[in-house]
Amino acid sequence: MENASIGVWNTDRILGVLDSFDEEPLPNDVAEVLTADYRLLHYPERLLSPTFPAAQVVWSKTSRSLDDLFVEIEPKIKEWGLGEMHWWVSPATRPLQTENFLRARGGELSDSFKLLALELPSNTLKFDTPLGITVELVHDERTFRDSASVATRGWGRSSEDEMALSRRLDEVLSNLEMLAGYEFVAYVDGKPASTGSCTMSNDVVRLWGAVTLPEFRGRGCYRAVLASRLRQAEECGATLAVTRGRPLTSGAILIRSGFRAHGEEHCYRLTVR
C-alpha cells in the first residue's frame, strides 16, 4: 500500500475515516437495506448518472457465505425493478476473496477510485487562480442554481424540479450556517464552469461532488475549486482532507496537488436474473 504515513495520519487511520463516511445519514429519498453484513442503497433518479448507478452495495463485511448474501440481496434488486447492481470492494471489505467471488459471478469492473488524503496545511492552498476564473462560496439562490446547473450537466443527470431544488437550497444554506459543509462554484468569464462540495467532521474534511463542464476543462477550474475548499476547511480547523478520485481524471489532478494514495476501491456490475 502506498504512502503508509503522512505526519500523524497513517494509512489505517485514513482508511478508518473514509469508512466512517460510508455510514453517514442518507437523504430521505434513498432506500436502504442495512444489515451487520452489508449496506445496500437504492438511489433516486435525481442522483443517477452514467457513472452513478441506482443500486449499490457500498460496503460488505461478513463471515457468511457470499453466495448466501447474493441470494439475499438479489430479490431486493428485482423488487426495485432493476436488472443489475453494483458492488464496491475496498481495503475494508471482508472476506478478502470478495473481489474474486464477484468476478466468478460474472461481475464486470465498472468503476475504480484511488483513496486519497492530504494533511493540512498544504501547498495546494498557494495555487494561483488562472486569469478569467473566479470562485464563489455557494451562499444564496444565484450561486446555488449556478452550482446545481453545472452538477446536473457535468454528471449527465436529469434536471430537478423546483421543489427538489428548493429543498436542496435549504440544506446547503443550513450546512453553511452550522459550519458543517460548503459548496463552491467556479466561473470562467462569468459563466458557471465547475463546482465541488466538502463536509466537515471534527478535524477532517471530505471532498466530494466536484465536476467541470467539458468546454472548460484543462483551464484550472477544478484546481481552483479544490484550493477554495481546502482553504475553507483549514479555516475551520481541519488537519486532514480525504476524498476518492478516478485514476485518470480527478485522481491524477489530486495527486499532482499533493494528495497521496492509500489504496483503491473497485466497483463490479452484476446482472440480476
Side-chain angles (χ1 to χ4, degrees):
M1 189 171 292
E2 298 174 326
N3 301 309
S5 178
I6 52 174
V8 299
W9 291 97
N10 60 32
T11 290
D12 287 343
R13 289 189 67 196
I14 289 165
L15 294 179
V17 166
L18 284 163
D19 285 344
S20 71
F21 283 117
D22 288 334
E23 304 290 347
E24 286 184 328
L26 299 163
N28 292 332
D29 55 353
V30 178
E32 176 185 44
V33 178
L34 178 62
T35 75
D37 302 295
Y38 60 87
R39 191 185 199 191
L40 170 66
L41 302 180
H42 180 206
Y43 291 96
E45 182 68 27
R46 70 177 181 86
L47 293 176
L48 305 186
S49 75
T51 60
F52 196 83
Q56 303 181 37
V57 176
V58 294
W59 62 256
S60 57
K61 300 173 188 176
T62 185
S63 58
R64 293 172 56 194
S65 160
L66 290 171
D67 282 309
D68 288 347
L69 252 61
F70 198 90
V71 169
E72 184 177 305
I73 292 171
E74 194 171 42
K76 179 56 70 174
I77 306 300
K78 293 178 181 177
E79 182 182 315
W80 288 333
L82 301 173
E84 65 179 30
M85 65 173 164
H86 293 246
W87 195 308
W88 286 95
V89 179
S90 76
T93 301
R94 297 294 182 272
L96 296 175
Q97 299 79 21
T98 299
E99 199 158 6
N100 291 335
F101 168 83
L102 296 175
R103 288 173 178 155
R105 292 291 302 236
E108 298 179 354
L109 186 67
S110 60
D111 213 342
S112 293
F113 283 99
K114 286 187 177 293
L115 304 175
L116 301 161
L118 176 72
E119 196 162 6
L120 300 175
S122 164
N123 287 333
T124 304
L125 304 180
K126 300 181 177 65
F127 172 73
D128 292 325
T129 303
L131 188 66
I133 297 176
T134 58
V135 182
E136 288 192 50
L137 175 68
V138 173
H139 66 283
D140 59 11
E141 184 171 359
R142 174 187 63 84
T143 49
F144 169 76
R145 286 184 176 274
D146 287 344
S147 176
S149 69
V150 171
T152 297
R153 189 153 72 89
W155 291 117
R157 294 173 178 163
S158 58
S159 298
E160 297 180 78
D161 60 32
E162 285 300 314
M163 185 175 296
L165 285 169
S166 179
R167 284 197 301 267
R168 282 215 303 117
L169 173 59
D170 289 343
E171 180 183 346
V172 169
L173 296 181
S174 175
N175 287 336
L176 181 61
E177 183 178 356
M178 295 187 297
L179 310 181
Y182 305 91
E183 194 168 314
F184 290 87
V185 57
Y187 298 85
V188 174
D189 298 327
K191 298 177 182 178
S194 184
T195 186
S197 301
C198 58
T199 301
M200 296 295 303
S201 178
N202 298 319
D203 60 342
V204 176
V205 60
R206 178 172 67 96
L207 310 179
W208 56 277
V211 65
T212 300
L213 296 179
E215 61 266 34
F216 297 113
R217 290 173 187 167
R219 301 179 62 168
C221 296
Y222 182 98
R223 282 202 68 197
V225 170
L226 171 64
S228 294
R229 288 183 289 170
L230 292 176
R231 289 189 194 103
Q232 183 68 53
E234 188 175 313
E235 288 178 9
C236 293
T239 62
L240 184 77
V242 296
T243 190
R244 295 168 165 90
R246 290 187 175 88
L248 298 181
T249 54
S250 60
I253 298 172
L254 289 160
I255 286 174
R256 288 198 299 270
S257 300
F259 280 75
R260 296 180 180 180
H262 293 265
E264 293 187 356
E265 282 185 335
H266 303 292
C267 188
Y268 288 87
R269 180 194 305 111
L270 296 117
T271 300
V272 174
R273 299 178 180 84

